[in-house]
Amino acid sequence: MERHDEKIRLVERLKRYGYIRSKEVEDAMLSVKREDFVPPSVRRYAYDDTPLEIGFGQTISAPHMVAMMCEELELKKGLKILEIGAGSGYHAAVISKIIGEEGKVYSIERIAELAEFARKNLEKAGIKNVEVIEGDGSLGLPEYAPYDRILVTCSAPDIPEPLIEQLKEGGIILIPVGRTFSVLIKGIKKGKRLERKEICGCAFVPLIGKYGFS
Ligand code: SAM
């Protein structure tokens, strides 16, 4: 079967199971080729709904998780987004399609080789509004704060205080919290506090850093 057909079938399944709820997320998932964001050794599994190895003990998230997080982030054109954990750059690419050219994604990755991998993948895909920065994302990225949305694609012991500070009033943060089995938390900033809601159980690689695991 052609790769393109596999992608369409995957998106249809994600819609049927309720992970994709909007046309915006559907169009974005259809327009980004996941096969171009994974190493050649796993390319044939690109449209399986599963995380895949991208090297250095890290993974590209499963498509259903990418779709669900995009829906929960309530993305709109022109938003400024901070992602912690660029990995392959795939999730940032999908977000970039939804927020459009007037929006911007800053994506932090702690492993230099993966930051470079993400940059190359994004460049090949012709995506211009994602900037990949190497560093400890548990500290956030104060130079471009505040952000409309913050997503963390690795699991934290708790929500890092700097990320709450760098979120705009009314902004949304999505972050898995826990050790091996985590809970995906959605926080909406109301004044100085965060209104929190548990979305679902999940499994993510750990957030390593000052406000993460050691
Ligand atoms: N969003 C990615 C994608 O689309 O491929 C998947 C990310 S992977 C599940 C989690 C990533 O978080 C890994 O690449 C890992 O190196 C990174 N990471 C872990 N701790 C980090 C930190 N403190 N700052 C930035 N990146 C971190």
Side-chain angles (χ1 to χ4, degrees):
M1 198 196 309
E2 289 289 315
R3 279 280 122 97
H4 181 65
D5 295 342
E6 288 181 42
K7 185 169 58 171
I8 291 173
R9 282 166 62 112
L10 170 68
V11 167
E12 282 307 316
R13 214 171 327 124
L14 297 179
K15 276 170 69 181
R16 209 172 331 121
Y17 293 157
Y19 293 113
I20 295 180
R21 302 193 297 258
S22 66
K23 182 87 174 70
E24 289 78 6
V25 174
E26 176 183 355
D27 288 348
M29 298 278 299
L30 282 173
S31 71
V32 181
K33 293 181 177 172
R34 192 172 184 247
E35 73 215 56
D36 290 346
F37 287 81
V38 296
S41 56
V42 295
R43 204 157 280 159
R44 64 185 180 284
Y45 307 117
Y47 297 107
D48 287 1
D49 188 16
T50 179
L52 296 170
E53 298 284 335
I54 53 170
F56 308 92
Q58 306 303 321
T59 53
I60 178 174
S61 304
H64 75 268
M65 187 52 69
V66 172
M68 192 172 72
M69 288 179 80
C70 286
E71 294 288 6
E72 290 296 343
L73 282 167
E74 301 173 31
L75 298 169
K76 294 181 198 76
K77 293 242 178 280
L79 292 188
K80 182 167 48 159
I81 316 278
L82 177 66
E83 180 187 42
I84 317 301
S88 66
Y90 174 72
H91 202 155
V94 173
I95 291 176
S96 131
K97 296 285 180 187
I98 304 171
I99 61 173
E101 282 170 12
E102 60 270 50
K104 176 88 187 182
V105 183
Y106 295 96
S107 185
I108 313 181
E109 173 53 55
R110 65 176 274 275
I111 299 174
E113 290 87 342
L114 286 181
E116 199 43 37
F117 180 58
R119 278 187 206 110
K120 287 210 175 102
N121 293 339
L122 288 158
E123 194 186 330
K124 255 193 281 164
I127 289 170
K128 296 193 168 53
N129 60 344
V130 178
E131 190 174 329
V132 179
I133 296 130
E134 186 194 329
D136 176 7
S138 77
L139 301 167
L141 191 62
E143 46 271 54
Y144 303 112
Y147 301 95
D148 297 296
R149 305 286 187 265
I150 299 179
L151 71 151
V152 183
T153 65
C154 35
S155 193
D158 202 349
I159 307 182
E161 203 53 46
L163 299 187
I164 301 175
E165 279 161 20
Q166 291 169 35
L167 186 62
K168 255 185 210 170
E169 175 66 23
I172 299 175
I173 181 169
L174 262 193
I175 176 167
V177 173
R179 233 294 168 214
T180 318
F181 296 101
S182 316
V183 178
L184 186 65
I185 307 278
K186 178 173 181 173
I188 302 178
K189 192 161 173 182
K190 299 266 168 79
K192 286 224 172 299
R193 53 178 284 277
L194 206 59
E195 208 175 81
R196 298 171 191 223
K197 183 176 154 197
E198 292 187 1
I199 302 297
C200 62
C202 54
F204 274 90
V205 295
L207 173 80
I208 312 274
K210 180 159 184 215
Y211 291 87
F213 295 101
S214 51

